Amino acid sequence: MIRILAFVLVLLVTWSCSQHSSKPAAVTFHNINAKYNAIWQADRLLITLHKQLAEERTENYASELPIIAPVDSTFGITHKLEIGNLIRKASLVIDRHQNSAYVDDAYLLIAEGRMLQRDYKNAIETLKYINTLEPDKKTQSKALTLLFQIYLMQNDFESAEKTESFLLENELIGGEFQLMKAYEHQQKSEINACISLLNQVADKTKNRSDKSRLYFILGQLNERINQGGLAKQAYQNSMRQKSNYALTLRANIAYKSLDQSIPALEKLLADPKNEDQKSEIYVAMGRIYMEQKDLNQAKNAWEKATQNNPNKGELYFQLANLFAYQIQDYPRASAYFDSATISLASTHPSFTKAQKLKKDWNQYILLDSKIVQEDSLQKLAKLPLSQLENLYKQAQLKKNQRSDSIQKSQSQPQKMLATFTRRPATPEQQSFYFYNEQARIKGEQEFSMKWGIRNLEDFWNRKNKQSASMMPNVNQAIELSDATKIPDAQKSTDSLGIWLASLPTTDVKLLASNKIKEQALFDLGKYCKTQMEDNALARVPLKRLLTEFPYTSYEAEALYLSYLSAENKQAKTYFRTQLFDRFPDSIYKLTILKLETGALTDSKEQQAEKAYEAAYLLFKSNAFSEALQACQQMRVNFPGSKSEDKIVFLSALCQAGLKNPTEYLKILKQFVQLFPLSPLKAEAEARINAIPKNN
């Protein structure tokens, strides 16, 4: 009998605690178990994870800090187990306590776990689902605020606006929403609105670390709008919190930078506590020197800043811009852009720009070096032979002195050992020839002593450079015959004779050198204008091209590019007049007319279409001259019309009908260049490929 009563009692307790029961006893049981067991444990895990996120976060103080710090992509991997436990604990409420009042809180915890994993898609779905559960206002407000935050982090401003409207309509705006709204203004570059909201939020924030960070951002924002006084005040407020030394030091550096106090920054450099932060101080000093137009001091400071700096990429990028646009040392600018692309992370906002600038400046240096080389060779060719011999001997003497110093250093192994004791070479550097600078220089010296200075070419080791096997074509034979004009004393196989033979000392060689220089000047000017979009850089080679080669085959396009790159109206008028007078039928003249007139009206477009139909009928009746004249007139009367590609193509066909293959090919090539999206492009390219190469 006692056993039966005990069994019935257990059944009653179990039935009353069912998660599907709505009885007060069952609901109370599950509420207590949910809140003080799974929810409590999950909440503790979330607090710990947020604390670890703040501690492990690496701030980039060189750039403007985001108000909402992003979650690092590695955080979810590093703390996979803890985040998994958080989600598992919260899921227990959903699995075992469905009738409790904390199911919506469990979903909220799961969503925050997904955010720490950067699984924004599932986090959004979870937060949206919470809104369907009819949660209490506090939970609903927090869930929708987090949803608003995720949309902002993904730059989905349209969805964020809809979420904001729902929050306002249902009076769910909480304290955290102001911070999110300030973040939205920051992302949209609405700085004044952002500063206004952030001031309110920072004053109310209780956590000293968060408060210090928000004040630091306020200082950066005020600096951005040139409010130096307000920025200094914000940096002072950040320093007063004394939350962590790294942030306090950055605020101190920023404060002293606004005062442009080099002595104060030098005092920070002398402090042993700032040994690891010296690079940041040098960066600030470099900016002050830049504002004071002291470019050399700025360069020196920034070069020192690259030592032991985790943000080397940004410094290399600043140095590259300094050398490119201020000091105008283009080879060093190109080298620093190379270093910037290597050091910058692919997610950095300047990475894409640095990649493009690296490509642009490398191409610029390549083209410019051709011009410099030909200029140098032509200048040397004008010198008397005796002076050339002296120059060569001086160069050889310097090289021999360098070789002697290397040999001396190699004969003193103890001194070299002392040098390498401080910074030993890696095993890879010791084993691979080209990583060993001493071995490479020694090899170069041994080679030059045995063979002399040799060009990189076929048969470089032949003693008789004038053998029949080295004259595969007539042009090389002409060049070799030119070399016979060198005095007999120099017609030897030594490096001096080879060097003298490379100089443009004859008309044939000078013509070839000028051709290389002409091509390089045009390519450089066009590249600077069309790819680098730098008018000032483009004007220099284009001006040289038109001055030194007044009858260049690139004159029409060079005048057009000079017109586009001109710095004032007077210069534009000059190049426009030159182009219109010298090349009245040029496609570039018509392009300028198109730029000046803008889009045609509908009535003008109709007139252009009718004129084209009339010209096409003339072409079909074999009246090629009349059709060509009509096309030229149409391009003048209706520049930039929708029928322009058809008009140009018809012009090419008319030239073919008139049996002018040169003009026919020229217009087809211009067509492909000017109308890359035209449906006639494929036919134009096919016609170009069908033309015999000798035409």
Side-chain angles (χ1 to χ4, degrees):
M1 186 65 183
I2 295 173
R3 288 181 179 178
I4 294 173
L5 289 173
F7 179 72
V8 171
L9 182 63
V10 169
L11 280 177
L12 287 172
V13 172
T14 304
W15 178 73
S16 67
C17 294
S18 170
Q19 63 174 326
H20 302 290
S21 172
S22 58
K23 290 188 175 182
V27 171
T28 301
F29 172 81
H30 286 286
N31 278 342
I32 292 171
N33 269 279
K35 181 176 180 180
Y36 295 106
N37 191 358
I39 292 290
W40 186 87
Q41 292 181 48
D43 197 44
R44 297 283 76 73
L45 280 169
L46 182 63
I47 292 170
T48 303
L49 283 166
H50 277 303
K51 186 178 179 181
Q52 289 174 330
L53 179 64
E55 289 173 352
E56 295 173 17
R57 183 168 62 230
T58 303
E59 299 279 20
N60 182 8
Y61 296 102
S63 302
E64 186 180 295
L65 298 183
I67 292 173
I68 303 298
V71 178
D72 189 83
S73 56
T74 61
F75 185 81
I77 300 170
T78 308
H79 299 279
K80 182 179 179 180
L81 181 62
E82 295 95 317
I83 297 172
N85 284 337
L86 163 66
I87 294 171
R88 184 176 60 81
K89 293 287 184 184
S91 300
L92 290 174
V93 177
I94 301 165
D95 292 339
R96 301 178 183 179
H97 308 291
Q98 292 182 13
N99 60 345
S100 74
Y102 297 97
V103 172
D104 50 355
D105 296 271
Y107 277 113
L108 188 60
L109 287 165
I110 291 170
E112 292 192 76
R114 298 297 185 203
M115 288 176 69
L116 292 173
Q117 291 176 326
R118 292 172 63 93
D119 183 4
Y120 296 128
K121 182 179 178 182
N122 284 319
I124 288 171
E125 294 301 320
T126 305
L127 292 168
K128 284 181 177 179
Y129 181 71
I130 292 172
N131 203 42
T132 65
L133 297 176
E134 297 183 1
D136 61 83
K137 278 201 168 186
K138 184 179 178 181
T139 304
Q140 188 179 20
S141 172
K142 188 170 182 180
L144 291 172
T145 303
L146 286 175
L147 185 63
F148 182 68
Q149 176 184 333
I150 294 174
Y151 285 139
L152 292 179
M153 292 169 73
Q154 296 180 326
N155 292 323
D156 186 356
F157 296 115
E158 185 178 351
S159 298
E161 188 177 345
K162 291 177 182 177
T163 306
E164 181 184 1
S165 299
F166 187 87
L167 283 163
L168 289 169
E169 288 170 6
N170 293 275
E171 298 180 351
L172 296 170
I173 299 297
E176 292 183 0
F177 183 77
Q178 275 189 313
L179 186 66
M180 303 302 165
K181 194 66 182 172
Y183 178 53
E184 180 186 13
H185 289 310
Q186 184 187 32
Q187 285 192 304
K188 291 180 176 179
S189 293
E190 297 167 352
I191 305 303
N192 289 322
C194 179
I195 289 172
S196 177
L197 274 174
L198 204 57
N199 270 315
Q200 300 174 36
V201 174
D203 290 339
K204 296 176 184 176
T205 303
K206 294 180 180 179
N207 185 286
R208 290 172 63 187
S209 180
D210 292 342
K211 194 168 190 172
S212 179
R213 187 175 183 276
L214 292 178
Y215 275 128
F216 185 81
I217 296 170
L218 266 172
Q220 290 182 313
L221 292 171
N222 279 301
E223 267 197 89
R224 186 170 165 185
I225 59 172
N226 299 317
Q227 294 293 328
L230 293 174
K232 287 172 68 176
Q233 184 180 346
Y235 287 134
Q236 276 186 325
N237 288 335
S238 179
M239 286 187 281
R240 287 193 187 106
Q241 306 309 315
K242 297 181 179 178
S243 57
N244 67 76
Y245 186 74
L247 182 59
T248 303
L249 176 61
R250 292 323 190 288
N252 196 7
I253 293 170
Y255 181 85
K256 288 176 170 56
S257 297
L258 287 171
D259 282 338
Q260 295 198 344
S261 176
I262 295 292
L265 290 171
E266 288 175 341
K267 189 176 179 181
L268 288 177
L269 278 174
D271 192 336
K273 289 188 296 183
N274 302 332
E275 185 66 30
D276 295 336
Q277 314 299 333
K278 280 187 174 182
S279 58
E280 301 293 336
I281 302 170
Y282 279 122
V283 169
M285 291 170 69
R287 287 175 180 162
I288 294 172
Y289 285 128
M290 269 297 291
E291 290 178 12
Q292 295 173 352
K293 307 297 182 184
D294 192 342
L295 302 182
N296 287 327
Q297 289 280 26
K299 174 180 71 71
N300 293 335
W302 278 341
E303 285 178 340
K304 289 177 182 177
T306 58
Q307 300 171 9
N308 301 321
N309 192 327
N311 299 319
K312 277 186 180 180
E314 291 182 5
L315 291 170
Y316 287 141
F317 190 62
Q318 289 178 8
L319 280 165
N321 282 293
L322 175 68
F323 280 108
Y325 304 111
Q326 302 290 332
I327 300 176
Q328 296 181 349
D329 184 345
Y330 302 134
R332 294 189 72 178
S334 176
Y336 275 115
F337 278 124
D338 279 345
S339 300
T341 54
I342 293 169
S343 301
L344 282 173
S346 58
T347 55
H348 194 278
S350 298
F351 179 75
T352 305
K353 187 177 180 181
Q355 288 274 31
K356 183 183 183 304
L357 287 170
K358 170 194 171 182
K359 178 184 174 184
D360 288 348
W361 283 103
N362 284 350
Q363 183 65 17
Y364 179 94
I365 295 302
L366 178 66
L367 294 170
D368 186 60
S369 62
K370 290 183 181 180
I371 300 167
V372 172
Q373 180 177 337
E374 296 307 319
D375 282 340
S376 300
L377 290 173
Q378 290 180 20
K379 187 176 179 181
L380 287 169
K382 295 176 183 178
L383 298 176
L385 181 61
S386 60
Q387 192 171 347
L388 288 173
E389 289 176 347
N390 288 333
L391 287 172
Y392 179 80
K393 288 176 181 177
Q394 290 172 13
Q396 286 294 97
L397 182 62
K398 288 181 180 177
K399 187 167 185 180
N400 290 335
Q401 288 174 348
R402 181 187 175 196
S403 173
D404 291 341
S405 64
I406 293 171
Q407 288 177 356
K408 284 181 181 178
S409 64
Q410 289 174 343
S411 66
Q412 297 175 0
Q414 291 182 354
K415 291 184 178 179
M416 292 304 299
L417 183 62
T419 301
F420 280 95
T421 301
R422 186 173 58 84
R423 189 175 181 181
T426 64
E428 186 182 37
Q429 288 174 326
Q430 292 171 349
S431 60
F432 185 49
Y433 173 80
F434 288 102
Y435 284 162
N436 191 325
E437 185 69 11
Q438 288 191 345
R440 189 185 62 77
I441 293 172
K442 183 181 178 182
E444 181 184 345
Q445 179 63 22
E446 289 174 354
F447 178 89
S448 62
M449 288 174 67
K450 182 177 181 180
W451 300 100
I453 299 174
R454 294 299 179 107
N455 294 329
L456 184 61
E457 58 186 359
D458 292 338
F459 309 111
W460 61 267
N461 58 343
R462 293 282 182 91
K463 289 184 178 181
N464 185 5
K465 300 293 286 183
Q466 298 181 20
S467 64
S469 63
M470 295 184 64
M471 296 191 293
N473 57 46
V474 178
N475 290 333
Q476 287 187 358
I478 292 172
E479 290 182 7
L480 288 168
S481 66
D482 292 336
T484 61
K485 296 179 183 179
I486 300 170
D488 292 338
Q490 299 302 336
K491 281 197 293 183
S492 60
T493 57
D494 65 359
S495 55
L496 175 59
I498 296 169
W499 179 62
L500 289 172
S502 69
L503 300 179
T505 52
T506 64
D507 292 340
V508 174
K509 289 185 176 181
L510 183 60
L511 182 63
S513 176
N514 278 328
K515 195 65 183 173
I516 294 171
K517 185 163 72 169
E518 177 188 354
Q519 182 71 52
L521 283 168
F522 172 73
D523 290 343
L524 183 59
K526 185 174 181 179
Y527 192 83
C528 289
K529 175 57 190 171
T530 58
Q531 299 298 320
M532 299 180 71
E533 299 178 354
D534 192 321
N535 291 335
L537 277 179
R539 286 196 294 268
V540 176
L542 289 172
K543 184 179 179 181
R544 279 194 64 184
L545 175 68
L546 294 170
T547 304
E548 297 179 22
F549 303 95
Y551 300 105
T552 176
S553 57
Y554 305 111
E555 185 178 3
E557 190 170 358
L559 287 168
Y560 170 67
L561 292 169
S562 298
Y563 167 83
L564 296 178
S565 307
E567 56 187 329
N568 53 52
K569 189 175 181 181
Q570 183 180 357
K572 279 187 178 293
T573 304
Y574 171 78
F575 290 118
R576 182 184 186 278
T577 304
Q578 289 287 312
L579 180 61
F580 282 28
D581 290 347
R582 292 182 57 77
F583 305 95
D585 299 328
S586 168
I587 196 151
Y588 302 109
K589 172 188 173 182
L590 299 170
T591 306
I592 289 175
L593 290 173
K594 175 182 174 181
L595 291 171
E596 292 175 348
T597 55
L600 297 178
T601 61
D602 291 340
S603 61
K604 284 281 187 181
E605 288 286 0
Q606 291 174 3
Q607 291 175 31
E609 187 64 33
K610 289 179 181 178
Y612 168 75
E613 291 172 0
Y616 186 73
L617 289 174
L618 288 171
F619 170 77
K620 293 292 287 183
S621 61
N622 295 333
F624 301 123
S625 296
E626 292 82 353
L628 180 60
Q629 188 176 0
C631 288
Q632 291 172 347
Q633 193 61 40
M634 276 188 287
R635 295 207 65 197
V636 174
N637 295 337
F638 311 106
S641 70
K642 295 177 182 177
S643 307
E644 189 174 18
D645 60 332
K646 295 189 293 183
I647 296 168
V648 175
F649 191 74
L650 183 58
S651 299
L653 297 180
C654 290
Q655 293 288 2
L658 292 169
K659 301 192 184 307
N660 293 329
T662 304
E663 287 297 318
Y664 172 58
L665 178 60
K666 179 181 175 183
I667 295 175
L668 284 177
K669 287 182 177 179
Q670 289 177 345
F671 177 87
V672 172
Q673 181 182 358
L674 292 173
F675 306 104
L677 301 178
S678 171
L680 296 169
K681 181 187 175 184
E683 185 178 348
E685 289 176 335
R687 286 176 174 271
I688 291 171
N689 294 330
I691 297 172
K693 299 299 179 184
N694 58 351
N695 286 343

